[in-house]
Amino acid sequence: IAHLEYVRGNQTNAYNYYAKMIDSIPEDNYAPRLLFGQELREINLFDLALKVIAPYLIYSYEAEKGFVNDAIKIGTKAQIEQASIIIDKYLIAKIDVETWYAHKANLEYGKGNLNISKKYIGKLFELKQTPDIAFNYALLKLKLNEYDLENLIDILKNEDNTMYLMMAAECCFAMG
């Protein structure tokens, strides 16, 4: 019924039916929570995705990754704190550090901690020098009035993407 209401454009009814479905799941250790959370994520019901996945966090690494991703986007203060704990746990354990560096950078950026965000984007950039990472790293450096941007410009200027080229130009302009 929830999906039918969603397809019909009855967002409020769909939301209420999805919420009732979540409340009816009888146990925390129920693997389909992940699939349900993914479905909710695909239709931008991130708060419900967080709600359905939260009880399953202790059972699944994938649930933790999904929870952190969603909490960073629209989580409550408590959910963001829980996401921070999860991120720190995996950074300390050095498990899938690229994923967790990216999440840490995004979380700190959302909290307004630009220097900490830059630190983690920098660590990610050391591991993987992609245009997306270079773009975000350059953006943070510019916001912090840091102009050591040559290596980022070299990556961005060679891309066939207007956004990257504009960032390369912005970096060149900032450097003088």
Side-chain angles (χ1 to χ4, degrees):
I1 295 174
H3 184 70
L4 183 60
E5 291 292 329
Y6 178 80
V7 171
R8 288 181 177 166
N10 299 325
Q11 305 302 319
T12 303
N13 287 345
Y15 185 94
N16 291 334
Y17 280 117
Y18 281 126
K20 287 178 185 178
M21 290 170 64
I22 293 168
D23 292 339
S24 72
I25 299 173
E27 56 193 57
D28 294 347
N29 188 8
Y30 184 65
R33 284 180 180 275
L34 280 177
L35 296 173
F36 192 23
Q38 180 61 36
E39 180 181 328
L40 293 167
R41 219 178 273 116
E42 287 171 5
I43 58 174
N44 297 318
L45 294 176
F46 296 104
D47 59 327
L48 291 179
L50 287 165
K51 183 177 179 181
V52 75
I53 292 172
Y56 197 62
L57 293 177
I58 61 172
Y59 304 105
S60 168
Y61 177 73
E62 290 304 315
E64 288 179 309
K65 285 191 343 185
F67 181 88
V68 166
N69 188 56
D70 295 345
I72 289 169
K73 289 178 184 169
I74 60 101
T76 65
K77 188 174 181 178
Q79 290 166 331
I80 291 169
E81 182 56 35
Q82 188 174 7
S84 183
I85 291 167
I86 292 168
I87 292 167
D88 290 344
K89 173 177 77 172
Y90 288 110
L91 287 176
I92 289 168
K94 296 183 180 357
I95 296 172
D96 194 10
V97 292
E98 287 180 18
T99 295
W100 300 110
Y101 282 158
H103 283 316
K104 184 71 168 182
N106 288 333
L107 181 121
E108 295 300 338
Y109 185 87
K111 290 166 60 176
N113 299 327
L114 300 185
N115 282 309
I116 297 171
S117 180
K118 185 190 70 136
K119 172 185 168 184
Y120 285 96
I121 284 286
K123 288 178 181 238
L124 184 58
F125 185 74
E126 288 173 13
L127 297 174
K128 192 174 180 180
Q129 296 185 358
T130 68
D132 284 337
I133 296 167
F135 178 90
N136 290 325
Y137 199 23
L139 181 65
L140 278 168
K141 285 186 169 215
L142 289 172
K143 285 185 177 207
L144 293 166
N145 297 316
E146 295 179 13
Y147 303 113
D148 56 327
L149 303 163
E150 292 86 0
N151 59 339
L152 302 174
I153 294 169
D154 288 340
I155 292 169
L156 294 168
K157 73 179 183 183
N158 293 317
E159 293 299 315
D160 189 25
N161 178 310
T162 306
M163 186 173 72
Y164 297 147
L165 294 172
M166 289 178 66
M167 179 56 76
E170 183 68 28
C171 290
C172 288
F173 179 76
M175 289 174 52

